[in-house]
Amino acid sequence: METIFQSIEILSKEKGIDPRIVLDAVKDAMLIAARKHFRTNEDYIAELNDKTGAIQLFAVKKAVEAVEDPAKEMTLAEGRRINPEAEIGSEIRIPKKTDLLGRISAQTAKQVIFQKVREAERETVYNEYSGRAGELVNCTIKRVEGPDYILDLGKTEARLPKKEQSKLESYSVGDRVRCVIRIVDKASKGPGVVVSRAAPELVMRLFEQEVPEIYDNTVVIKGCAREAGERTKIAVQSRDRDVDSVGACVGMKGMRVQSIIRELRGEKIDIIEYSEDPVVFATHSLSPAKISRVTIVSGGEKHMEVIVDDSQLSLAIGKKGQNVRLAAKLLGWKVDIKSEEEKRQEVESAMAALVSPGEPLSVLIEYGLSESMAEKLVEAGVGTIEKLGGMTPEELQEIPGIDPQMVESIRDNLTGYYAQFEEGGAPAQPEADQAGDVEEAAAPAEAEEPAAIEEPAGPDVHEVEEDPEAAEPPAIDPVGEFDTIKDSGPQTRGEPEESGS
């Protein structure tokens, strides 16, 4: 026990924690072991002897005049045997031999020490890595635990779970990999640091290392969307008008981006020029497809509609919708892609919906349809004349309350309604009214016919076209001709013709 302080210092250096934390853990373990060994209700305290480097154990009692609790109190006379300077109310420390602690107590102390050290180590790891989320770190595969990899970060271990791995990658123990710190979990039982090879931040950090213009903020990464192992879209913007953001990331002959693709085991990378205009940015994001037009459906809800040529639709959507899915992540908008044909059909449907659905069934009441019959048809879902006209007699008879005779009656009513639309026909009306209208219409026709013959001054287009002489241009001003007709009456029509000849 005299060399325990040296062991504490060695353990502290190995775990990278404060020796004081380990010392406190040893003290707590000794107190727990003492209570289990002595099995009393006494209060114990452990202290480090600075001279010997050993930890001493004491039972603490209070000096009183009359003892009520022997486990925690003692008389002043007994206290002065141990400490001559003791007074009433003083704490008397009674030394206990630690070498009397049994094997079970020692095992309990060991467990307590390990637990305290693990908690201290976890706290140290959390404090060191909690503020480094998204940072690129170099790791070594230490061991494999099921589908997960345990990586060595140097001071601690990190876990690379299955969901944070790329589909194209597999590793063996001892392989060196570059990952980004995803999260730091303080309450986890195993390694508290979780790293990732599938996060978009990995591609961003790799571009920062490979492209000097990104490192010095001449080119800025505005966003990144990724499906690990398949495809990545990264948006960049240049702060210098003389620097091409996309060209800087690609590098001469593609050297810069090719080194990143090799690091990602052949994953495809699309480098896109960022734009503040969402329409322009959407056009760039959906490359390599060519976009016909982009319409903002709702700016507040960030919803847009993209129209592409029919031949470009599959390219814009991508394999299993991958291209449009990554573009939507990069934009932060909801994107609907439609072909020209789909949009045309949609517009036609919308135009058809704006057209009146048809005449209501109540119009047929004027042509003999009873109100009760109209109610039965409406209840059956036949609300318009057009829909009724498109039904077969069998379909009409399936409606409850309608027999074959009623079907014939309905057909007669429809015939009367549609008769008004026949070519050259007049609207169907009651017979008495029709007769009166015919007589009234005939009288003015007969009166107007002779008037048209007797009045030569009336401008009749058909007569002018049939008369070959009238087809020739008049020799006088037409305006003057009409003025003469207006002033002189029908007898003056021949005068301008003679002067013209």
Side-chain angles (χ1 to χ4, degrees), residues 458-471:
D460 192 343
V461 176
H462 298 284
E463 291 181 1
V464 173
E465 291 178 356
E466 293 174 0
D467 189 0
E469 296 180 357

Side-chain angles (χ1 to χ4, degrees), residues 212-287:
E213 288 82 357
I214 295 179
Y215 184 79
D216 61 15
N217 285 330
T218 303
V219 176
V220 182
I221 298 176
K222 303 295 290 187
C224 183
R226 185 185 182 201
E227 290 189 1
E230 296 183 6
R231 195 168 192 168
T232 296
K233 287 182 180 286
I234 184 168
V236 292
Q237 185 181 34
S238 176
R239 292 183 175 182
D240 189 346
R241 66 177 64 183
D242 296 329
V243 177
D244 180 15
S245 57
V246 177
C249 295
V250 173
M252 184 177 296
K253 297 183 180 180
M255 292 179 60
R256 293 176 176 176
V257 71
Q258 286 299 326
S259 64
I260 298 174
I261 292 174
R262 285 193 297 271
E263 174 66 28
L264 300 177
R265 305 295 194 273
E267 183 176 317
K268 297 178 182 178
I269 299 177
D270 294 340
I271 304 173
I272 298 164
E273 185 177 357
Y274 177 79
S275 175
E276 297 290 345
D277 186 354
V279 174
V280 178
F281 192 24
T283 305
H284 295 167
S285 300
L286 288 168
S287 62

